[in-house]
Amino acid sequence: MTFATFLDFFAQYGYLFILVICYCEYLNLPGFPAGLIMPGIGVLAGQSDLNLPGALVLSIFAGTLASLTIYAICRFGGAPLLHKLFGKSKKFQRFVNECHCKIELHGNRALFLCRLIPVLRTIVSIPAGLLKVPVRDYTIWSAAGIACWNTVLIVTGYLGGNVVIACLT
């Protein structure tokens, strides 16, 4: 997705676009990097009729929903499904094992902490589902971590975008 396409969709669909793009990003789909998307949402919210709190709430909701989707697939599909999807990727297995160890060692706090670490933040849903972490705990701790991550990136884009625009005018 090019930045021009991103801008066109944002201008046309606003909040719905935020919901869809954040959902896709948290599903860890290729082409949806959080480091660009989240600050981009902040910049665009600052330059449009959309408000920052609305953009934040939608991004947190979409991130939590996508994370629950991955969690459910892993909880009910289990390891055989993961092996079929990802095969023998050593790198992927290493990240899943790292999250798995953190959850076993630190419990629910690990869900929150992993949400703040790039790469682990999207993979943590997999071992949480495999370990059958209670849905309520998973949702609360994940949503808290997602809220912190999204808020930092979106507000950075919002504030940074306003500074850049002010300097250009």
Side-chain angles (χ1 to χ4, degrees), residues 84-131:
K84 187 173 185 172
L85 291 174
F86 298 103
K88 299 176 182 177
S89 170
K90 299 274 188 219
K91 188 175 183 180
F92 179 77
Q93 289 174 1
R94 182 172 50 88
F95 285 126
V96 170
N97 289 337
E98 187 176 341
C99 288
H100 189 113
C101 290
K102 287 184 185 311
I103 292 170
E104 286 188 331
L105 183 63
H106 301 291
N108 293 333
R109 289 186 319 247
L111 295 170
F112 174 81
L113 295 173
C114 284
R115 290 288 176 198
L116 305 177
I117 302 169
V119 180
L120 295 185
R121 68 184 197 78
T122 53
I123 293 177
V124 71
S125 302
I126 296 167
L130 293 173
L131 291 169

Side-chain angles (χ1 to χ4, degrees), residues 1 15 19 25 36 39 44 61 69 73 76-77 90 122 129 157 162:
M1 172 182 287
Y15 289 122
L19 188 68
E25 193 279 322
L36 297 175
L44 295 171
F61 174 77
T69 301
I73 290 169
F76 300 110
K90 299 274 188 219
T122 53
N162 287 337

Side-chain angles (χ1 to χ4, degrees), residues 1-2 5-6 9-10 14-29 31-34 36-38 40-41 44 58-59 62-63 66 154:
M1 172 182 287
T2 66
T5 306
F6 181 81
F9 278 121
F10 188 83
Y15 289 122
L16 178 61
F17 181 66
I18 292 171
L19 188 68
V20 170
I21 199 86
C22 289
Y23 183 82
C24 290
E25 193 279 322
Y26 272 89
L27 285 178
N28 207 20
L29 296 177
F32 293 92
L36 297 175
I37 288 174
M38 298 299 172
I41 288 170
L44 295 171
L58 274 179
S59 75
I154 291 173

Side-chain angles (χ1 to χ4, degrees), residues 6-18 39-55 154 157-158 161-162 165:
F6 181 81
L7 290 174
D8 289 342
F9 278 121
F10 188 83
Q12 188 172 3
Y13 298 107
Y15 289 122
L16 178 61
F17 181 66
I18 292 171
I41 288 170
V43 170
L44 295 171
Q47 304 304 313
S48 69
D49 293 337
L50 304 180
N51 66 39
L52 183 61
I154 291 173
Y158 183 85
N162 287 337
I165 297 300

